[in-house]
Amino acid sequence: MLFKVEMKVTIPHDMPADVIADIKAREKAYAQALQARGKWRHLWRIAGSYANVSIFDVADNAELQELISGLPLFPYMDIGVAPLCRHPSSIHEDDR
């Protein structure tokens, strides 16, 4: 199942810089591992914001919840999720 996931990150202003750097490093490694496994299909930065729009390819809602809640930045995110399906007017037969 494909899901569009929008994530907006708000890190507390009083969080120490070294803690932020550690969380961001772990976040990057986790996100790249999910991309390598084909679970995190697309990752797009929203220009001018600490936010992204992503496409996940997972078996079901439970797997999506497990992957998202494993993000090191998860406690600092506002997340919106929408399931996706192929549009009948699309000229593509795959999900490029």
Side-chain angles (χ1 to χ4, degrees):
M1 296 179 67
L2 296 177
F3 289 90
K4 177 185 80 163
V5 179
E6 296 184 34
M7 302 176 218
K8 182 176 181 187
V9 180
T10 306
I11 296 175
H13 296 290
D14 60 348
M15 185 178 284
D18 60 328
V19 174
I20 294 171
D22 176 65
I23 293 170
K24 286 182 178 182
R26 290 185 291 117
E27 180 85 9
K28 182 176 182 176
Y30 183 72
Q32 289 179 341
L34 291 176
Q35 289 173 72
R37 288 178 39 209
K39 295 297 180 177
W40 198 326
R41 299 282 297 274
H42 298 277
L43 175 56
W44 298 95
R45 168 81 65 203
I46 298 175
S49 179
Y50 194 0
N52 72 70
V53 173
S54 297
I55 304 298
F56 282 80
D57 188 357
V58 294
D60 53 28
N61 297 344
E63 183 181 14
L64 181 64
Q65 176 64 32
E66 177 185 336
L67 296 180
I68 292 174
S69 64
L71 291 165
L73 284 169
F74 178 76
Y76 313 105
M77 290 181 173
D78 180 27
I79 299 173
V81 175
L84 300 174
C85 62
R86 182 154 328 282
H87 194 285
S89 297
S90 175
I91 63 170
H92 299 290
E93 304 242 351
D94 58 15
D95 59 0
R96 324 181 237 164

